[in-house]
Amino acid sequence: MKIAVTYNAGQIFQHFGHTEQFKIYDVEDGKIVTSGVIDTNGSGHGALAGLLAALGVEVLICGGIGGGAQMALKEANIKLFGGVKGEADKAVECFIKGELEFDPNAKCDHHGEGHYHEEGHTCHSHNCGK
């Protein structure tokens, strides 16, 4: 099984669509056998789901995530565990043990009304937020 975690300096990065790195874990027989950090090369939102699918990722652990990205992951058959905070390695270990605490309704809710992303669209246009 391949597990990806949004990653920044050992921690779970809290906005899926803006993550600059993923840490990818290969898990066999309930143990991490390899792991490594990859750059997203500026990909964002839906393109990140394609990147993960191309790598054979089956599970994503992340912090906040917008509705559009959630749909892209679902279409790529990647199981989402959102709303997770803390150390990436520890989160994967907890997932393997079946003890990961996550929010099945995690959304990117750090925006206020009228907030614009750098791409020039509002939060309302991609279903993230309140």
Side-chain angles (χ1 to χ4, degrees), residues 63-100:
I65 183 167
Q70 289 183 23
M71 290 301 296
L73 290 167
K74 186 175 183 178
E75 290 172 8
N77 294 315
I78 297 172
K79 191 166 183 176
L80 171 65
F81 292 84
V84 183
K85 296 180 180 178
E87 295 177 29
D89 292 351
K90 185 171 174 99
V92 172
E93 290 171 9
C94 288
F95 172 80
I96 292 168
K97 293 177 187 173
E99 300 172 355
L100 182 66

Side-chain angles (χ1 to χ4, degrees), residues 111-117 119-128:
H111 312 291
E113 290 291 313
H115 173 84
Y116 288 86
H117 290 277
E119 295 94 355
H121 61 271
T122 65
C123 293
H124 307 296
S125 68
H126 65 81
N127 297 325
C128 78

Side-chain angles (χ1 to χ4, degrees), residues 16-81:
F16 172 80
H18 292 266
T19 192
E20 294 180 7
Q21 296 181 317
F22 287 106
K23 189 164 184 182
I24 309 293
Y25 301 81
D26 287 304
V27 177
E28 294 177 10
D29 298 322
K31 295 180 183 171
I32 298 169
V33 291
T34 62
S35 66
V37 177
I38 64 162
D39 289 328
T40 63
N41 297 319
S43 298
H45 295 95
L48 291 173
L51 171 67
L52 294 175
L55 292 170
V57 169
E58 300 169 59
V59 172
L60 170 70
I61 299 171
C62 68
I65 183 167
Q70 289 183 23
M71 290 301 296
L73 290 167
K74 186 175 183 178
E75 290 172 8
N77 294 315
I78 297 172
K79 191 166 183 176
L80 171 65
F81 292 84

